[in-house]
Amino acid sequence: ASTVHSLKYEFSDTVQIGYVISQTPDGKEPVAKGAKVTLVISKGPSSIKIPNVKSLSLAEATQVLENLGLNVGKPIYIGTRKNKVVIGVSPAIGTQVKPGSTVKLTLS
């Protein structure tokens, strides 16, 4: 069997984080035992678009944002309504941000 010689990491908007984008040699032809193989692994998208999480609960909005690779900061609560929902998102919905960015939610 061949052995992995090196790993490279690149951003990809189409290949999920942690999955192989490509390999060299490409695997279409047999290779000799012990041949060196290079894998290119996805780091996920280079930017993430802030989704519309308005009207979701804090738990629901947090799950959506964390599943995209974003962090949720300490929420801001306003109003006296018992079952609060998201009414504000910062950065704004539709903004492109780097993975791992922090999103602040306002709930009312």
Side-chain angles (χ1 to χ4, degrees), residues 51 53-54 56-66 72 86 105:
V53 293
K54 285 185 178 179
L56 297 180
S57 70
L58 177 60
E60 292 167 331
T62 298
Q63 183 175 10
V64 168
L65 294 167
E66 288 180 348
V72 178
V86 176
L105 302 174

Side-chain angles (χ1 to χ4, degrees), residues 83-101:
N83 295 320
K84 295 187 183 314
V85 295
V86 176
I87 62 163
V89 182
S90 178
I93 293 166
T95 303
Q96 295 282 348
V97 296
K98 293 186 180 301
S101 294

Side-chain angles (χ1 to χ4, degrees), residues 41-60:
I41 310 295
S42 174
K43 295 189 332 185
S46 58
S47 66
I48 299 168
K49 189 174 175 181
I50 301 290
N52 184 357
V53 293
K54 285 185 178 179
S55 79
L56 297 180
S57 70
L58 177 60
E60 292 167 331

